[in-house]
Amino acid sequence: MSIRKPRSTRAGRVTMQEVARRAGVSAITVSRALRTPDKVAEPVRLRIAQVCQELGYVPNHAASALASARSQTVVVLIPSLSNVVFVDILSGIKEALDAQGYLMLIGVTGYSPEAEENLLRTYLRHAPDGLILTGIDHTPGVWDLLRARQIPTVHTIETLDDGADMSVGFSQLESGYAAGRHLLDCGYRRIAIVGAQLDPRSLRRCEGCRQSLRDAGAYDPALEIMTPEKSSIGLGAALMDRVHREHPDCDAVFFVNDDLAQGAVFQCARLGLAVPGRIGLVGFHDLAGSAWTTPPLSTIATPRYEIGLAAAGLLMRHLAGEAIERRHVDLGFELVRRQTT
């Protein structure tokens, strides 16, 4: 006796109706078991799961979206997947979305505003339920799309002052100011500011530090080195060498990223510069490894994972129809003083 093979669509896809027939239930029950399993009796749910496995059934996500008016997807646009700052934020976002059964569509902009706009236009074709964007600096085209589509949107790493969108982050300006103020409080006066990548957030950190030095009458524009090169430990070592070579009287440096500062710690050891005896160093973000340099690096700690978790949580609450009392959430930052200052 031959076993009749399940029928499928022209594309070779097993249908929900076939799963229902094999499991001896209605298609509605199959749909409910897949979408809201807690509402289906366990024996029935297990039987449906077994049939799905036997037939290789994969739910048609597009059809589900049409039926429910929800795609169960959230688009997340970040500048880089190699920068641990954004990986940490993604981890927080994923945890919050997974808990609610949402999928994450990730787009990488490469720090390009134009690429961000192009990616957003492309992903909007998938009718996402919400958007999570990096920063608050976008092209006019992006802002036009957000206003026209009115898709719930959360901006991360920084906070908006007002508006229909939501935001979760901290003040780049104030955190940079805190770094500069810390160096001043430690007695340093010839303080250099070193930046790389030069995205808007990095530039605001530098401006914050610059303002703290101005307020103390200690700002010297000659003690600034800015490069659009990608931030890295190797670049930090090279820039530290340049600071010492061009400004031998410099007694402290604020680095816009921790990887740059970590490289500077290593280079100071090579140059025989005592840290902090001869020169003080402060980084930004408190990346893994900063507590283990020799000496351990003083830095500004930022809540990257918590930002991702809170941003996605805020979006989920909005999509669930909950009242949002705080649309713009400042999670702050922390000055971590170790042994480089």
Side-chain angles (χ1 to χ4, degrees):
M1 178 179 174
S2 62
I3 299 176
R4 184 180 179 182
K5 294 182 178 180
R7 290 180 298 171
S8 59
T9 64
R10 291 180 182 178
R13 183 183 294 119
V14 177
T15 67
M16 185 179 294
Q17 286 74 17
E18 293 171 72
V19 173
R21 282 195 295 271
R22 178 71 69 88
V25 298
S26 68
I28 292 177
T29 300
V30 174
S31 177
R32 186 176 296 119
L34 296 173
R35 293 174 59 83
T36 54
D38 56 308
K39 295 183 179 180
V40 178
E42 184 175 4
V44 176
R45 188 172 70 245
L46 293 176
R47 186 163 74 250
I48 291 172
Q50 180 64 31
V51 172
C52 287
Q53 183 175 356
E54 291 174 356
L55 299 184
Y57 174 69
V58 178
N60 187 324
H61 186 70
S64 298
L66 287 173
S68 65
R70 285 283 179 90
S71 67
Q72 294 296 116
T73 61
V74 171
V75 167
V76 182
L77 299 185
I78 59 171
S80 170
L81 275 175
S82 62
N83 188 331
V84 70
V85 169
F86 303 111
V87 174
D88 289 344
I89 291 173
L90 283 177
S91 296
I93 292 173
K94 185 177 185 303
E95 179 171 325
L97 296 186
D98 284 352
Q100 299 300 321
Y102 274 77
L103 299 176
M104 178 167 51
L105 298 179
I106 302 173
V108 180
T109 69
Y111 294 92
S112 165
E114 292 73 26
E116 180 186 55
E117 180 177 338
N118 290 334
L119 280 169
L120 182 58
R121 291 183 184 278
T122 298
Y123 277 123
L124 285 176
R125 299 172 190 168
H126 297 271
D129 293 331
L131 306 171
I132 298 178
L133 306 181
T134 300
I136 58 177
D137 300 276
H138 310 293
T139 65
V142 166
W143 288 114
D144 288 343
L145 285 169
L146 297 181
R147 282 190 292 268
R149 298 298 186 95
Q150 295 187 336
I151 297 174
T153 302
V154 183
H155 303 260
T156 62
I157 302 188
E158 296 182 273
T159 56
L160 294 164
D161 294 328
D162 51 30
D165 292 345
M166 297 166 282
S167 61
V168 179
F170 61 93
S171 172
Q172 302 285 337
L173 198 67
E174 290 178 9
S175 54
Y177 192 100
R181 186 67 256 172
H182 171 63
L183 288 172
L184 290 165
D185 290 344
C186 289
Y188 300 107
R189 285 299 179 270
R190 294 290 291 163
I191 301 171
I193 300 173
V194 175
Q197 197 74 63
L198 305 188
D199 58 87
R201 294 164 298 282
S202 296
L203 292 176
R204 274 191 276 276
R205 282 173 227 154
C206 292
E207 175 56 28
C209 183
R210 191 179 296 125
Q211 189 58 53
S212 71
L213 302 185
R214 286 197 190 102
D215 290 348
Y219 176 63
D220 182 351
L223 289 174
E224 282 198 23
I225 296 179
M226 299 289 162
T227 174
E229 293 181 68
K230 182 179 178 181
S231 184
S232 68
I233 291 175
L235 179 61
L239 293 177
M240 182 66 246
D241 188 68
R242 178 179 166 186
V243 168
H244 180 61
R245 185 175 65 255
E246 296 179 3
H247 306 284
D249 62 337
C250 172
D251 61 2
V253 187
F254 167 61
F255 289 92
V256 76
N257 286 313
D258 259 16
D259 52 1
L260 295 174
Q262 290 171 3
V265 172
F266 300 143
Q267 187 64 14
C268 284
R270 293 189 184 96
L271 294 172
L273 299 176
V275 179
R278 168 62 182 80
I279 195 164
L281 305 174
V282 170
F284 198 94
H285 277 313
D286 195 20
L287 300 182
S290 291
W292 302 101
T293 55
T294 304
L297 179 67
S298 295
T299 185
I300 299 291
T302 57
R304 284 104 53 193
Y305 173 82
E306 290 79 7
I307 287 173
L309 191 66
L314 195 60
L315 183 60
M316 293 296 97
R317 287 169 51 207
H318 180 89
L319 292 174
E322 296 182 25
I324 306 296
E325 295 181 1
R326 294 177 61 203
R327 302 183 66 84
H328 307 292
V329 182
D330 188 336
L331 294 181
F333 57 89
E334 179 186 359
L335 172 66
V336 180
R337 180 172 185 177
R338 296 195 178 104
Q339 297 173 30
T340 59
T341 55

